[in-house]
Amino acid sequence: MPSLYSDIVKTVNLQHAQLIAVSKTKPNEAILNLYNQGQRAFGENKVQELLDKHEQLPNDIQWHMIGHLQTNKVKYLVPFIHLIHSVDSLKLLFEIEKQAEKVNRTVSVLLQIHIASEESKFGLDEKELIEILEYYTASPSPLNHICIKGLMGMATNTDDMSIRRNEFKHLTELFKFVKNSYLPHRDDFNEISMGMSDDYTIAMEEGATMIRIGSLLFGNRS
Ligand SMILES: *Cc1c(COP(=O)(O)O)cnc(C)c1O
């Protein structure tokens, strides 16, 4: 009998997207269960929990930081993190640069864009996005230990799926604008991280390349 996991992976890969299994609050056994079925990309939103799991679990797991990141914790992640989805300020990006230079590593990031209508969600507005892109594309760039791989967004938490769809559309439009206007020769700028358990099929229809799924894979969080 095919598992829910393999069904989801199949669906996501058919759309040429990548599944990030969001394992926040879940125990190591639950992660190993998916690991043993082939999953390698896992997402966490708290630094300490991510560090503990990184230490305890197989070292070929690719860890994705998807939650708000405080500058004073950047140094703990920079040596090993696979991708930081949640860059939401220029200040944070400069701290990642500083720590990455120290360990002589290029750190991959996504810029988190505020696409939801809710006040509470983190993310850059378009003015802040452009400011970051101007620093990134300056030559010489003050951000030369950073690789910006794309954009990330979270839709409004609403039952009205047409609202979520429009927010995803907006993120894809913004991605194309950035690609064409600032990064036309950067083939490494190619990711759009959007879609969670409730809305990932819509996100894929609207161009997502990375889907972040938690509760659908692991069950509800208490
Ligand atoms: C928790 C979380 C997810 C996964 O949410 P589910 O609804 O459990 O799939 C995705 N993205 C971010 C940023 C999260 O914090």
Side-chain angles (χ1 to χ4, degrees):
M1 196 181 79
S3 70
L4 181 59
Y5 168 72
S6 69
D7 288 346
I8 294 171
V9 168
K10 217 180 289 166
T11 309
V12 170
N13 291 345
L14 267 175
Q15 302 290 325
H16 307 286
Q18 186 191 1
L19 173 65
I20 314 302
V22 176
S23 48
K24 61 189 184 196
T25 78
K26 298 298 173 182
N28 290 348
E29 301 75 67
I31 295 175
L32 283 171
N33 177 34
L34 293 196
Y35 178 90
N36 290 332
Q37 297 176 69
Q39 181 67 21
R40 291 295 177 272
F42 290 89
E44 292 284 337
N45 69 340
K46 297 233 158 51
V47 171
Q48 189 57 54
E49 187 175 348
L50 197 161
L51 293 174
D52 291 344
K53 287 174 172 172
H54 168 248
E55 198 178 289
Q56 293 157 7
L57 288 161
N59 63 20
D60 62 340
I61 287 181
Q62 299 172 346
W63 291 103
H64 292 245
M65 176 60 184
I66 62 170
H68 179 63
L69 178 56
Q70 291 173 285
T71 49
N72 63 342
K73 299 200 173 148
V74 166
K75 58 178 176 288
Y76 305 115
L77 293 183
V78 153
F80 69 89
I81 199 76
H82 185 75
L83 182 63
I84 300 172
H85 291 231
S86 44
V87 170
D88 58 4
S89 72
L90 182 61
K91 179 173 160 237
L92 176 61
L93 200 57
F94 272 115
E95 178 63 17
I96 297 169
E97 166 68 25
K98 181 174 145 195
Q99 299 300 334
E101 185 175 18
K102 276 190 195 164
V103 295
N104 196 23
R105 193 170 181 244
T106 297
V107 173
S108 294
V109 306
L110 304 178
L111 303 177
Q112 182 174 354
I113 309 297
H114 187 272
I115 56 170
S117 54
E118 292 143 314
E119 272 294 318
S120 59
K121 297 224 164 123
F122 291 106
L124 302 160
D125 63 27
E126 286 171 31
K127 192 163 156 266
E128 295 167 313
L129 168 64
I130 284 167
E131 190 185 10
I132 287 175
L133 291 167
E134 308 233 306
Y135 279 102
Y136 185 59
T137 55
S139 77
S141 172
L143 295 168
N144 59 3
H145 295 81
I146 301 274
C147 182
I148 299 177
K149 300 257 185 192
L151 304 182
M152 180 272 224
M154 284 172 89
T156 303
N157 188 8
T158 167
D159 291 338
D160 185 343
M161 289 299 159
S162 69
I163 293 179
R164 297 199 200 200
R165 184 183 294 278
N166 278 329
E167 291 168 353
F168 292 145
K169 267 192 213 299
H170 173 64
L171 190 61
T172 297
E173 287 306 310
L174 202 53
F175 172 87
K176 288 179 186 161
F177 165 76
V178 171
K179 179 110 195 140
N180 295 332
S181 308
Y182 288 90
L183 303 168
H185 307 298
R186 294 293 301 254
D187 292 339
D188 50 12
F189 184 81
N190 57 16
E191 302 287 1
I192 304 176
S193 168
M194 60 186 188
M196 321 200 321
S197 293
D198 284 348
D199 55 21
Y200 75 101
T201 51
I202 300 172
M204 289 193 298
E205 286 165 13
E206 299 303 334
T209 67
M210 282 184 174
I211 316 295
R212 309 178 309 269
I213 298 185
S215 45
L216 198 58
L217 289 169
F218 294 105
N220 286 330
R221 291 175 295 273
S222 45

